[in-house]
Amino acid sequence: MTTNTKKQEDPMSTVTPTRAPHQDVPTGHKHPEGRVGAGLFDPKQLVKSLPDACRKLDPRVMVKAPVMFVVLVGSVVTTVLAIKDPGDWFGWVITAWLWLTVVFANLAEAVAEGRGKAQADTLRKAKTDTVARRLAGDIEEQVPGTELKIGDLVVCEASDIIPGDGDVVEGVASVDESAITGESAPVIRESGGDRSAVTGGTKVLSDRIVIKITTKPGETFIDRMINLVEGAARQKTPNEIALNILLASLTIVFLLAVVTLKPFAIYAGADKQTSMIVLTALLVCLIPTTIGALLSAIGIAGMDRLVQRNVLAMSGRAVEAAGDVSTLLLDKTGTITLGNRQAAEFVPVRGTTEAEVADAAQLSSLADETPEGRSIVVLAKEKYGLRERHQGELAGAEWIAFTAQTRMSGVDVDGRKVRKGAAGSVIAWVREQGGEVAEDADTLTDRISEAGGTPLLVAVQDDQGARVLGVIHLKDVVKDGMRERFEELRRMGIKTIMITGDNPLTAKAIAEEAGVDDFLAEATPEDKMALIKREQAGGKLVAMTGDGTNDAPALAQADVGVAMNTGTSAAKEAGNMVDLDSNPTKLIEIVEIGKQLLITRGALTTFSIANDVAKYFAIIPAMFAVAYPSLDKLNIMGLASPESAILSAVIFNALIIIALVPLALRGVQYRPMSADKMLRRNLGIYGLGGLVAPFIGIKLIDVLISLIPGIG
């Protein structure tokens, strides 16, 4: 197992801070713009995107997609030839369908970008030219928000719009972030913790905070969101670039092959059947136009599917890397477990009763506002019938608050001192008071730790001296369905590692209950970094989530670093994705979306190359059957005439692009399975489907064309 060799720390050091009212709770909310699913075929969206598709006919834009640029050049060539021979209906029809092929290809990308632009328009409404209350020493001055610089301090009170991205350095406030998350419930932002980051354009609902600006005007989070969802900042990923190079190479090969056909045709006496228009049609049908047309749309749609789940990918590379991830680092608290440990039982040492432990535990927890502290008070009341007491009832009581240094809390009242906290700290306190520790205290704490719980010791000093009364058993509750999710990831070939600050015994028990492959106990930022580097050194891609400044180094090192929107600016800057819902379990969904992107690209590439094979049987016999009658045996589709065969292939080549747009946007359905099994499945469905579909489609189109007088 992956555990630290450092000296074991007591678990009290990981007590969760108090959760404030209205604090961020993952809701699964989606943006209003995302109500139409990424894969739905919406004819209205096609019509709306048509102007954008036509604008993309600019050669300077088309040259970025080599395959479709060749089709554009071919369309121009056939247009010129058709103009020279205006009576050639065949040339005009081929020209029209070649232009439609280019437009359909651009339409696929325009539709994918369309949804992002709709969301970008909504985000722009959140951008307002606010007046900032900047602090200059003790003096407050009003300046335009556009004049703020990194490091400036600004004051925001109720009803103020936050003028820029920054961190809260003073105060606590309720903030409306619906402009960026779509979630109407307010969230708490406060100084000194992992929930200090605020975003420009959001609104303060209550109280007063001082914010330190961390970004320049024009580079705020909302500005970056607009660029990302609109597609303006999308860069081609390494796999996409490699596939573009492959498609360009295939295009060059087929171009050379088609060029050499002309001399053969002249030699064979089939010059009339191999006109420039026919050769251009052949080239367009042979090169991988289908995947060439859909490649950009697939990449944009992948990022859009993340946006639908309130996740912003700062680059397409991150989405692609998510699909290749082989190691997942997951925090225990809030991800694998429900997050708040609950008191499950009070275990007395020999010579003490459960009632005594419960009474002391409740008394020492009255000033403990953590979820654990409140659960102790509730358990003592419900299980042992102790009346819930309040601090105000204990006159003259001196309350001992929990600190990271002491790792204890308690109260001094009526000549008694009661303490509750981490085992090491409480034992040290008892010995400082001159008391003795019961022999079975260590045995009880070890037993609870081995069972996956967190032990807290309860001790008292009174007229009988200082002594340990017993142990409080805090229990982590593993979320329902986590074991099944991890089993699913295992089938995907992904190793899961749980990261926790708990001691190794507790971590091991939780890891076994949850079903993770490995764990890292007593994790520090350096430990996380070392683990990520170790996995990467083995050739693996690593994904992790984080929200604090101490997570920033590991988020930057990970191949996929998902920062929580509630986290610090440092965490969001270090990660290459931001989860607006701040739901750590969403990392599993992100990996699935990444894999779906890669599978979709591979499946449609397979389909595209396979359906090119069928077109050979339509066009080649049509071109050379006159000179070589024996080639007519290759006309296995029984196409009516050379003209209808070539025209049917060109029409099918254009229509299949528009027919596959919904699949490219929705993505191929992903099922967890091994890579070999997935390859066989996709070859069976999309390889065989790519061969069969053109035979059926071209034949149907040929039948319809042959009904037109003068063609059949």
Side-chain angles (χ1 to χ4, degrees):
M1 301 297 286
T2 307
T3 56
N4 282 343
T5 57
K6 299 185 310 176
K7 182 180 178 181
Q8 179 174 323
E9 294 290 337
D10 290 303
M12 190 63 183
S13 60
T14 62
V15 168
T16 311
T18 304
R19 190 184 188 93
H22 306 298
Q23 208 150 354
D24 312 68
V25 179
T27 61
H29 169 82
K30 294 180 181 179
H31 286 290
E33 300 76 27
R35 284 178 296 202
V36 177
L40 296 182
F41 187 77
D42 186 2
K44 292 181 181 179
Q45 185 66 50
L46 290 177
V47 174
K48 189 177 180 181
S49 301
L50 194 57
D52 286 335
C54 293
R55 281 192 286 270
K56 289 178 180 289
L57 292 174
D58 185 340
R60 293 169 296 182
V61 176
M62 294 294 298
V63 75
K64 297 176 182 177
V67 176
M68 299 316 301
F69 181 71
V70 170
V71 180
L72 176 68
V73 172
S75 304
V76 173
V77 170
T78 57
T79 301
V80 173
L81 295 174
I83 292 173
K84 287 184 178 180
D85 188 3
D88 181 14
W89 65 267
F90 180 76
W92 282 109
V93 175
I94 291 291
T95 297
W97 279 101
L98 290 184
W99 278 109
L100 284 175
T101 302
V102 181
V103 171
F104 288 165
N106 290 343
L107 194 59
E109 186 173 3
V111 168
E113 292 175 347
R115 286 189 302 274
K117 289 182 178 179
Q119 192 175 38
D121 291 339
T122 302
L123 289 170
R124 283 194 180 93
K125 294 175 184 176
K127 286 189 61 178
T128 55
D129 293 329
T130 57
V131 175
R133 298 161 58 188
R134 185 170 63 186
L135 289 177
D138 295 329
I139 302 173
E140 185 180 303
E141 57 181 357
Q142 292 192 345
V143 298
T146 53
E147 292 185 9
L148 293 175
K149 300 186 294 294
I150 294 175
D152 283 348
L153 296 178
V154 297
V155 177
C156 287
E157 295 179 318
S159 301
D160 286 349
I161 300 296
I162 295 174
D165 291 0
D167 288 321
V168 178
V169 294
E170 181 183 317
V172 57
S174 177
V175 179
D176 176 9
E177 293 190 343
S178 58
I180 59 170
T181 66
E183 175 56 55
S184 57
V187 296
I188 298 298
R189 292 292 176 261
E190 57 188 337
S191 62
D194 289 343
R195 297 178 183 271
S196 61
V198 291
T199 305
T202 57
K203 185 178 182 179
V204 176
L205 299 180
S206 67
D207 302 297
R208 177 184 185 275
I209 51 176
V210 177
I211 301 165
K212 183 177 182 180
I213 299 298
T214 57
T215 58
K216 299 177 182 177
E219 297 179 8
T220 65
F221 189 59
I222 287 185
D223 289 315
R224 290 159 63 196
M225 283 178 68
I226 290 172
N227 288 333
L228 287 165
V229 300
E230 202 170 31
R234 195 185 90 87
Q235 297 179 341
K236 284 184 169 59
T237 65
N239 280 352
E240 199 173 340
I241 293 171
L243 187 53
N244 260 318
I245 293 172
L246 173 63
L247 298 180
S249 302
L250 289 174
T251 300
I252 293 172
V253 170
F254 284 122
L255 179 62
L256 294 174
V258 170
V259 168
T260 59
L261 284 178
K262 189 65 175 178
F264 282 113
I266 295 173
Y267 175 78
D271 188 30
K272 291 183 179 180
Q273 287 76 34
T274 56
S275 65
M276 185 62 72
I277 288 179
V278 171
L279 290 175
T280 303
L282 173 64
L283 175 63
V284 170
C285 288
L286 294 188
I287 62 178
T289 49
T290 307
I291 185 60
L294 298 174
L295 193 56
S296 291
I298 293 169
I300 294 171
M303 295 184 71
D304 182 66
R305 280 193 290 276
L306 282 177
V307 172
Q308 299 296 323
R309 289 163 175 80
N310 272 4
V311 177
L312 284 182
M314 298 306 174
S315 70
R317 182 191 296 265
V319 186
E320 194 171 88
D324 283 330
V325 159
S326 50
T327 302
L328 236 62
L329 271 57
L330 299 162
D331 275 332
K332 182 204 73 174
T333 305
T335 304
I336 295 173
T337 63
L338 291 177
N340 296 332
R341 292 169 296 184
Q342 302 291 311
E345 62 177 330
F346 300 119
V347 185
V349 298
R350 278 191 297 272
T352 310
T353 65
E354 286 187 40
E356 288 181 274
V357 179
D359 180 71
Q362 187 193 61
L363 190 62
S364 62
S365 300
L366 293 178
D368 185 353
E369 290 300 323
T370 65
E372 292 89 345
R374 292 198 296 270
S375 75
I376 292 170
V377 174
V378 171
L379 180 66
K381 176 185 176 184
E382 293 180 350
K383 190 172 181 179
Y384 299 95
L386 293 177
R387 183 179 64 84
E388 184 175 349
R389 292 167 288 190
H390 302 282
Q391 296 182 44
E393 298 178 24
L394 303 175
E398 182 181 346
W399 300 99
I400 311 300
F402 171 84
T403 67
Q405 289 74 33
T406 63
R407 299 197 311 253
M408 288 190 305
S409 64
V411 61
D412 295 346
V413 62
D414 296 333
R416 290 176 77 205
K417 293 182 178 181
V418 185
R419 297 291 184 272
K420 170 214 68 185
S425 299
V426 172
I427 289 172
W429 178 82
V430 169
R431 287 173 177 164
E432 284 175 7
Q433 306 301 315
E436 293 294 329
V437 178
E439 295 179 1
D440 56 340
D442 285 339
T443 304
L444 293 175
T445 57
D446 288 345
R447 190 186 74 193
I448 291 172
S449 295
E450 289 169 3
T454 301
L456 300 181
L457 288 185
V458 179
V460 64
Q461 183 191 31
D462 54 19
D463 52 12
Q464 298 180 37
R467 64 195 186 281
V468 172
L469 296 178
V471 187
I472 303 170
H473 181 178
L474 294 181
K475 192 172 183 180
D476 273 308
V477 181
V478 175
K479 292 181 178 179
D480 290 338
M482 291 308 296
R483 177 173 284 276
E484 289 74 16
R485 295 298 295 272
F486 291 137
E487 181 60 36
E488 192 175 290
L489 290 168
R490 201 170 291 114
R491 290 199 300 272
M492 293 158 56
I494 296 175
K495 176 183 178 183
T496 52
I497 301 177
M498 181 184 78
I499 299 176
T500 177
D502 288 343
N503 63 70
L505 289 175
T506 301
K508 180 180 180 182
I510 293 292
E512 290 176 350
E513 183 181 352
V516 295
D517 298 311
D518 209 343
F519 68 90
L520 178 68
E522 298 176 340
T524 65
E526 293 78 14
D527 295 331
K528 296 177 188 178
M529 280 281 288
L531 176 58
I532 292 173
K533 289 180 179 179
R534 190 161 60 248
E535 291 290 319
Q536 290 172 333
K540 298 176 181 178
L541 295 186
V542 181
M544 76 161 287
T545 60
D547 60 359
T549 300
N550 63 336
D551 291 323
L555 286 171
Q557 181 66 35
D559 301 283
V560 180
V562 183
M564 301 295 100
N565 186 48
T566 57
T568 62
S569 298
K572 288 196 280 189
E573 288 294 330
N576 49 24
M577 290 189 187
V578 177
D579 177 16
L580 301 180
D581 289 333
S582 300
N583 179 3
T585 59
K586 202 176 287 182
L587 179 58
I588 299 173
E589 290 183 58
I590 291 170
V591 170
E592 291 175 350
I593 291 171
K595 285 191 174 295
Q596 187 184 37
L597 169 66
L598 296 179
I599 291 167
T600 301
R601 189 183 293 155
L604 291 184
T605 301
T606 303
F607 183 92
S608 176
I609 295 174
N611 86 37
D612 287 339
V613 175
K615 298 170 194 171
Y616 306 159
F617 292 94
I619 296 183
I620 299 296
M623 292 174 61
F624 292 99
V626 174
Y628 299 103
S630 59
L631 283 179
D632 195 50
K633 294 179 181 178
L634 293 177
N635 184 18
I636 58 179
M637 286 182 272
L639 303 178
S641 67
E643 289 83 3
S644 71
I646 295 169
L647 189 54
S648 298
V650 171
I651 293 174
F652 176 83
N653 194 62
L655 293 180
I656 196 64
I657 293 173
I658 207 70
L660 288 174
V661 168
L663 182 61
L665 299 183
R666 183 186 66 244
V668 173
Q669 185 178 4
Y670 171 70
R671 293 190 180 96
M673 61 182 70
S674 66
D676 291 343
K677 190 174 181 180
M678 191 178 298
L679 178 61
R680 288 194 299 270
R681 176 177 178 269
N682 285 343
L683 284 176
I685 296 175
Y686 298 98
L688 185 60
L691 284 172
V692 173
F695 281 95
I696 298 172
I698 291 174
K699 179 60 180 177
L700 289 175
I701 295 170
D702 176 73
V703 170
L704 294 175
I705 290 176
S706 63
L707 297 176
I708 302 174
I711 298 181

